[in-house]
Amino acid sequence: MTYAIPALDERARSEAQERLDGLVKPLGALGRLEELAAWLCAAHGTVPPRPLDDVRVVVFAGDHGVSASGAVSAYPRELTASMVRVFLAGTSGVNVLARQVGARVRVLDVAVDADLDDVPEEVRAAKIRRGSGSIDVTDALEPGEAARAFAAGRRVADDEIGSGADLLIPGDMGIGNTTVASALVAAVLGLPADDVVGTGTGIDQAGRARKVAVIERARARAGERVSDPFELVTALGSACTAATAGFLVQAAVRGVPVVLDGVFPCAAALVAREIAPEAARWWLAGHRSTEPAQAFALKALGLDPILDLGLRLGEGSGAVQAVPVLRNARAVLTEMGRLADLA
Amino acid sequence: MTYAIPALDERARSEAQERLDGLVKPLGALGRLEELAAWLCAAHGTVPPRPLDDVRVVVFAGDHGVSASGAVSAYPRELTASMVRVFLAGTSGVNVLARQVGARVRVLDVAVDADLDDVPEEVRAAKIRRGSGSIDVTDALEPGEAARAFAAGRRVADDEIGSGADLLIPGDMGIGNTTVASALVAAVLGLPADDVVGTGTGIDQAGRARKVAVIERARARAGERVSDPFELVTALGSACTAATAGFLVQAAVRGVPVVLDGVFPCAAALVAREIAPEAARWWLAGHRSTEPAQAFALKALGLDPILDLGLRLGEGSGAVQAVPVLRNARAVLTEMGRLADLA
């Protein structure tokens, strides 16, 4: 299947840069704000760009078989289900940070290893399965589940955009997420696990060594299947990876900008780009994670994060903090005076 | 003269870190937000810290003799006076960015090389002189002017704090500012001019070489006088440097946090620390400038900038964009759920 991804409007980008050059400041003195202002103009096809008033964070929650043994994470798998309730209560990190910029947070139980019968139906609308296979010994997903999760992610993007979103931020929650994300980045980019694995939520060097070993075993098991993105996700990924990839591709199809967060959404972005190479033009990087795999993914995507605040929380918590910078970029273009009008 | 600088409250800082450790997140996962939240608690002596609702940017505007020849800047000196009017019209870069965070901007004509008779009296309340001497051939200031400017800067901080400011950001405007700031940083830290000089508002390599030469001549002329901070400012600085230093010291005396911006306020901070070493504990760095002198100054001050957006505008435009991060730091401490309350 191919996807019709709109191009960015290069005429609007040039027009924006001309306008920036005429503002009351030295040429280029607003640094990244200028680049982002011009990018937003190119994305919206207008100078100035539209306001970014309706920002949505969608947190994809799921568990992983690899976390069952406690070998790869500092936290027990049961935490994922508990955190879904925290998101619903509005007291997670990303809930708090999203409120600071007026963004909404939606959490989706895509593959939490629990039956969350008491949560609202809309939270479970994209549920694919409970947990995933432990990638070192078996496939993460059953045949067909990756495609179903991808389609579910596309529908979520359509829902959000249909109800008015003008900026999307995919978040992630799941004990074991950095292991799966690292496996995907290593597989897509052909890197040794030891290069991409970090310390996740806070494991020690022995924990890190186990994580590297898990990923190497998983890749050996997956073999050549990793060259097909859906097979890759089936073998080494998770339902959340596929759903996030679908979300990213559909945002691009609809021409809505996305701000990527940490290592998990960036790994999903690498997968999404394998599925729809032109989708990447609609994505920005919000925040540099402390995970090496994210740095490799961003380099491959040609993206430079807006912020580097040392967060390693996931949830979309880094990316949502980049929203004020994007709004600043629009504001300077819109509100600053012009050199030509100087007394 | 010595200054009574309050200590930060280390008990509040520890209490804040304990509270952070109990939030629904991995230990340390909020990175810089945790460090800043704990710092704000230490500054305010309370957990959580008070809101940062009343943020003030004070732009110190002045001219320099070294800019007269056109040798060190890409822009003519007359621009400084024009920019004072732009600040008053609310259309400068920092005006726009300050509005985004609800901060107020006050511009002060400390040493603009013009008689700005038509601007409000409060803008001229701290005027010391028109321009300054060209530091490569003569002192920047007459005897006594550095002390007068320093006292004026202290009064400005008192005014702002007295009327409710809970966060101060010193901004700068002045053609030739990066030359003077670089000279001060080189002199205080004992570095060759060639190490600290950058490209300012956009000069070429020949312009940069002239700037290095100007600074080396100035330092040779000043000799050993640079070991006294007021003599240093008299010989190599400017009225704005002294005023900004006074502003920084008085904020610390009053126990009000300051966010430093680019190379000029950071050079003034180095001078201020020579005058009142303990004042530095009240300062944060908001934004990394593209000027090497700022990097040296920050390293000497032990400060790591919150943002790195590639701006080289001055005015406080980088630092004011760090305000949302400080507010985020307070918000997570205040609003996030606790691990102990998880189902």
Side-chain angles (χ1 to χ4, degrees):
Chain A
M1 178 163 178
T2 59
Y3 298 88
I5 312 278
L8 268 63
D9 183 338
E10 295 304 325
R11 188 202 45 77
R13 197 198 299 261
S14 307
E15 195 189 318
Q17 194 56 58
E18 256 175 64
R19 183 154 160 180
L20 287 161
D21 290 347
L23 299 179
V24 281
K25 57 165 189 62
L27 276 178
L30 288 168
R32 259 214 105 180
L33 294 189
E34 299 198 21
E35 176 203 327
L36 292 168
W39 189 90
L40 287 171
C41 290
H44 288 177
T46 58
V47 181
R50 296 187 296 276
L52 300 171
D53 289 337
D54 194 337
V55 178
R56 314 275 181 103
V57 180
V58 176
V59 179
F60 296 86
D63 281 301
H64 306 284
V66 282
S67 72
S69 64
V72 296
S73 180
Y75 289 85
R77 190 200 297 203
E78 292 67 29
L79 207 57
T80 308
S82 299
M83 283 303 298
V84 170
R85 296 178 210 282
V86 173
F87 289 112
L88 292 171
T91 57
S92 75
V94 77
N95 286 118
V96 172
L97 295 165
R99 276 198 291 277
Q100 292 289 110
V101 297
R104 283 194 251 181
V105 176
R106 175 177 176 187
V107 59
L108 285 172
D109 167 10
V110 176
V112 178
D113 190 13
D115 286 320
L116 300 173
D117 294 333
D118 56 325
V119 306
E121 177 54 34
E122 58 164 24
V123 175
R124 291 176 293 159
K127 183 116 183 184
I128 301 297
R129 56 182 281 163
R130 279 186 56 154
S132 60
S134 192
I135 58 172
D136 51 340
V137 293
T138 186
D139 276 3
L141 301 176
E142 299 293 322
E145 285 180 338
R148 272 177 55 215
F150 185 82
R154 292 185 67 196
R155 278 197 303 277
V156 172
D158 274 335
D159 284 356
E160 297 299 327
I161 294 164
S163 59
D166 43 36
L167 188 71
L168 294 175
I169 296 173
D172 68 295
M173 174 66 219
I175 303 305
N177 267 5
T178 62
T179 302
V180 164
S182 302
L184 292 169
V185 171
V188 172
L189 301 179
L191 295 167
D194 196 44
D195 284 7
V196 301
V197 170
T199 49
T201 48
I203 51 172
D204 57 15
Q205 283 306 310
R208 186 182 171 282
R210 285 193 298 273
K211 205 160 154 177
V212 169
V214 161
I215 293 173
E216 289 299 7
R217 281 201 299 278
R219 285 181 67 192
R221 194 185 55 70
E224 292 306 311
R225 293 168 63 203
V226 302
S227 60
D228 174 87
F230 284 96
E231 281 295 301
L232 166 69
V233 171
T234 299
L236 300 181
S238 66
C240 285
T241 329
T244 306
F247 182 81
L248 291 171
V249 168
Q250 192 61 16
V253 167
R254 299 286 298 264
V256 172
V258 171
V259 183
L260 299 173
D261 188 48
V263 67
F264 193 87
C266 287
L270 274 187
V271 172
R273 193 179 61 160
E274 297 289 305
I275 296 168
E278 290 158 341
R281 57 170 76 125
W282 289 92
W283 310 332
L284 298 171
H287 179 266
R288 184 171 295 284
S289 158
T290 55
E291 289 289 300
Q294 195 226 23
F296 284 108
L298 290 177
K299 193 171 174 206
L301 292 164
L303 296 175
D304 184 24
I306 296 168
L307 300 177
D308 182 0
L309 297 169
L311 274 77
R312 48 185 174 77
L313 180 61
E315 304 181 358
S317 61
V320 78
Q321 295 184 77
V323 171
V325 180
L326 294 173
R327 289 177 178 159
N328 289 346
R330 177 179 181 275
V332 291
L333 186 66
T334 312
E335 300 175 30
M336 274 178 74
R338 301 188 322 142
L339 276 171
D341 297 335
L342 277 188
Chain B
M1 177 163 179
T2 60
Y3 298 88
I5 312 278
L8 268 64
D9 184 337
E10 294 305 326
R11 186 202 46 77
R13 195 199 299 259
S14 306
E15 196 190 318
Q17 194 56 58
E18 255 175 65
R19 184 154 160 179
L20 288 161
D21 289 347
L23 300 178
V24 283
K25 58 165 190 61
L27 278 177
L30 288 168
R32 224 74 223 249
L33 293 190
E34 300 197 21
E35 176 204 326
L36 293 167
W39 188 90
L40 286 171
C41 290
H44 288 177
T46 57
V47 181
R50 295 187 297 276
L52 300 171
D53 290 337
D54 194 336
V55 178
R56 314 274 181 101
V57 180
V58 176
V59 179
F60 296 86
D63 281 300
H64 305 283
V66 281
S67 72
S69 63
V72 296
S73 178
Y75 290 85
R77 191 199 297 204
E78 291 67 29
L79 208 55
T80 308
S82 298
M83 282 303 298
V84 170
R85 296 178 210 281
V86 174
F87 289 112
L88 292 170
T91 56
S92 75
V94 77
N95 287 118
V96 172
L97 295 165
R99 277 197 290 276
Q100 293 288 110
V101 298
R104 284 194 250 179
V105 176
R106 176 177 175 186
V107 60
L108 286 172
D109 167 10
V110 176
V112 178
D113 191 14
D115 286 319
L116 300 173
D117 294 333
D118 56 326
V119 305
E121 177 54 33
E122 57 166 24
V123 175
R124 291 177 292 158
K127 183 117 183 184
I128 301 297
R129 55 183 282 164
R130 279 185 57 154
S132 59
S134 193
I135 57 171
D136 53 339
V137 293
T138 186
D139 275 3
L141 302 176
E142 298 294 322
E145 286 179 337
R148 271 177 55 215
F150 185 82
R154 292 185 67 196
R155 278 196 304 275
V156 172
D158 274 334
D159 283 356
E160 297 298 329
I161 294 164
S163 59
D166 43 35
L167 188 72
L168 294 176
I169 296 173
D172 68 293
M173 173 67 219
I175 303 304
N177 267 4
T178 63
T179 302
V180 163
S182 301
L184 291 169
V185 171
V188 172
L189 301 179
L191 296 166
D194 196 43
D195 284 6
V196 302
V197 170
T199 50
T201 48
I203 51 172
D204 58 16
Q205 284 306 310
R208 186 182 170 283
R210 284 193 299 273
K211 204 161 154 178
V212 169
V214 161
I215 292 172
E216 290 298 8
R217 281 201 299 278
R219 285 180 68 192
R221 194 187 54 72
E224 292 306 311
R225 292 167 63 202
V226 301
S227 59
D228 174 86
F230 285 96
E231 281 295 300
L232 165 69
V233 171
T234 299
L236 300 181
S238 66
C240 285
T241 329
T244 306
F247 182 81
L248 291 171
V249 167
Q250 191 62 14
V253 167
R254 299 286 299 264
V256 171
V258 172
V259 183
L260 299 173
D261 190 47
V263 66
F264 193 87
C266 287
L270 275 188
V271 173
R273 195 179 60 158
E274 297 289 304
I275 294 168
E278 290 159 340
R281 58 170 76 125
W282 289 92
W283 310 332
L284 297 171
H287 180 266
R288 184 171 296 285
S289 160
T290 55
E291 289 289 300
Q294 194 226 23
F296 284 108
L298 290 177
K299 194 172 173 206
L301 292 164
L303 295 174
D304 183 25
I306 295 168
L307 300 177
D308 181 1
L309 297 170
L311 274 77
R312 46 184 175 78
L313 179 61
E315 303 181 0
S317 61
V320 78
Q321 294 185 77
V323 171
V325 180
L326 294 173
R327 289 176 178 160
N328 289 346
R330 177 180 181 272
V332 292
L333 186 66
T334 312
E335 300 175 29
M336 274 178 75
R338 301 187 324 141
L339 276 172
D341 298 334
L342 277 189

